[in-house]
Amino acid sequence: MRPLLGEEEALAAAEAVRSGWVAQGPRVREFEEAFAASVGASHGVAVSSCTTGLHLAVHLLGIGPGDEVVVPSLSFIATANAVRYTGATPVFADVEAETGNISASTVEPVLTERTRAVMVVHQAGVPADVDALKAFCEPRGIAVIEDAACAAGSTYKGKPVGTDALLAAWSFHPRKLLTTGEGGMVTTDDPDWAVRLKRLREHGMSVSAADRHNGGSAVIEQYLETAFNYRMTDIQAAVGLVQLSKLDAIIARRRELAARYHELLAGTGLIAVNDPEYGTTNYQSFWVWLPEGADRQEVLAGLAERGVSARRGIMASHLEPAYEGHPRAELPVTEAFTARTLILPLFHDLTESEQDTVVSALSETLHTSRLTVRG
């Protein structure tokens, strides 16, 4: 992945610096409104990362020690960590092999009387079937939080992912399509929640620094609750506004490149990430399943020798040292997914010649690997 950054972003950041207002201020507010509108939400609350956004979402719902939140293990470790930050217990659910996402059928076996929420991840931009999950969870009094870190611009049933979300958290890390360097956003349709989220990200202050500055009279703020410092800067927001204006073009280019990958891989027998029947992915990552028995490390090494930088597939959090000994159910699809997938290069400026090189190198590496296995 290479972020698409250029002169427009540089100028926007410089303008923010020259304005003298570099902390959270008017550009953050403008970015919040524009991003929320783009994903079909009523309110956006800019934060320092998707991780802090997820933490705030869980905290907002009053979830804490003794409570459980179901999460996929097949996700960046921040998904589970955000639950731990509140003192609650993350409970790992398996995923569907086709999408890499949890579903009602994978969540049901791990529910207990202590389950307060399910955190569904739109993995690598592939939309999860949120309506089916809500239909299962909501009658049971279980909240559905959306980890939409990778999903800006993906669609679900003809609408942007995040539309009608109870709470959705987004990432603007450089590996995402829309980047502010670091940074994130929480979106919601609840106006009271939006007000409290803005307070929670800023030490619990009753009046933000920007509002105090623009109030025209002396205002002494109060600190209404124990809270956090999870703010975004105006420099980041300035970059984000430019990036948001490019998002449609970025997605169109990635989908064009992904379609060509599918064509090139058609004769290899490899299964690659694709759109689910109910939505479209932004192809934040392009993963492929390796043949059973293939040594992924050998394949990655072979690609590197041929000048291609690929990555292991999506991590399984329950296999990391941080979660060693953490109670869990069997997760066979998750473990197969993390062991047998790898992520191919995909970025805006990728050329057809470079794509040809990637697929050729992959085919050669797999052929050599099979010959080695056969002896």
Side-chain angles (χ1 to χ4, degrees), residues 4-5 9 30-39 152-153 170 172 177-180 185 236-251:
L4 182 66
L5 294 166
E9 287 85 355
E30 183 181 354
F31 184 40
E32 288 172 332
E33 293 172 354
F35 184 82
S38 76
V39 301
W170 309 80
F172 306 133
L177 275 65
L178 188 166
T179 184
T180 59
M185 188 82 69
Q236 291 171 293
V239 172
L241 284 163
V242 176
Q243 286 273 287
L244 185 59
S245 72
K246 297 179 178 180
L247 184 59
D248 288 346
I250 292 172
I251 293 169

Side-chain angles (χ1 to χ4, degrees), residues 70-349:
V70 176
V71 301
S73 171
L74 191 78
S75 183
F76 186 57
I77 202 165
T79 303
N81 284 351
V83 177
R84 273 188 166 177
Y85 296 161
T86 67
T89 301
V91 176
F92 293 122
D94 213 352
V95 296
E96 303 291 347
E98 295 77 18
T99 62
N101 292 327
I102 60 173
S103 66
S105 63
T106 68
V107 165
E108 184 174 20
V110 298
L111 293 183
T112 74
E113 61 183 13
R114 295 183 298 279
T115 305
R116 291 282 312 280
V118 170
M119 192 176 289
V120 57
V121 179
H122 301 282
Q123 192 52 257
V126 178
D129 192 355
V130 176
D131 285 352
L133 200 54
K134 286 181 178 178
F136 174 78
C137 291
E138 289 177 350
R140 293 168 170 81
I142 299 170
V144 176
I145 301 168
E146 298 184 37
D147 180 342
C150 301
S154 297
T155 69
Y156 176 67
K157 295 184 177 180
K159 298 179 181 179
V161 163
T163 302
D164 299 323
L166 182 74
L167 291 159
W170 309 80
S171 173
F172 306 133
H173 183 272
R175 289 199 69 247
K176 308 305 186 285
L177 275 65
L178 188 166
T179 184
T180 59
E182 288 284 1
M185 188 82 69
V186 182
T187 54
T188 182
D189 288 335
D190 189 307
D192 294 331
W193 282 2
V195 169
R196 186 164 179 233
L197 285 166
K198 289 179 180 180
R199 188 168 69 233
L200 284 169
R201 72 175 173 193
E202 195 167 11
H203 302 287
M205 283 196 291
S206 58
V207 181
S208 72
D211 287 342
R212 288 202 317 272
H213 177 77
N214 294 322
S217 61
V219 177
I220 299 176
E221 76 281 4
Q222 293 180 302
Y223 296 83
L224 304 178
E225 58 184 312
T226 301
F228 313 94
N229 181 6
Y230 287 170
R231 291 171 289 194
M232 175 183 281
T233 70
D234 256 30
I235 300 171
Q236 291 171 293
V239 172
L241 284 163
V242 176
Q243 286 273 287
L244 185 59
S245 72
K246 297 179 178 180
L247 184 59
D248 288 346
I250 292 172
I251 293 169
R253 175 59 177 160
R254 293 182 80 84
R255 289 186 58 81
E256 176 185 307
L257 290 167
R260 189 165 188 274
Y261 262 142
H262 280 290
E263 292 175 6
L264 294 172
L265 292 168
T268 66
L270 297 176
I271 298 172
V273 58
N274 212 334
D275 291 331
E277 61 181 12
Y278 49 75
T280 62
T281 175
N282 61 12
Y283 286 105
Q284 188 269 338
S285 293
F286 192 95
W287 74 65
V288 295
W289 280 82
L290 297 176
E292 196 160 357
D295 185 320
R296 187 178 61 186
Q297 288 304 111
E298 185 179 326
V299 173
L300 287 170
L303 288 172
E305 289 172 4
R306 292 168 173 82
V308 174
S309 176
R311 286 175 56 92
R312 68 170 183 171
I314 299 156
M315 68 183 293
S317 299
H318 76 279
L319 298 178
E320 294 298 317
Y323 284 90
E324 186 175 357
H326 189 78
R328 61 176 175 80
E330 295 297 313
L331 303 169
V333 178
T334 294
E335 292 184 1
F337 208 115
T338 197
R340 287 183 48 206
T341 59
L342 58 80
I343 296 172
L344 301 182
L346 183 63
F347 48 89
H348 195 81
D349 296 325

Side-chain angles (χ1 to χ4, degrees), residues 58-77:
V58 179
H59 180 83
L60 180 75
L61 295 176
I63 295 170
D67 297 327
E68 294 178 352
V69 178
V70 176
V71 301
S73 171
L74 191 78
S75 183
F76 186 57
I77 202 165

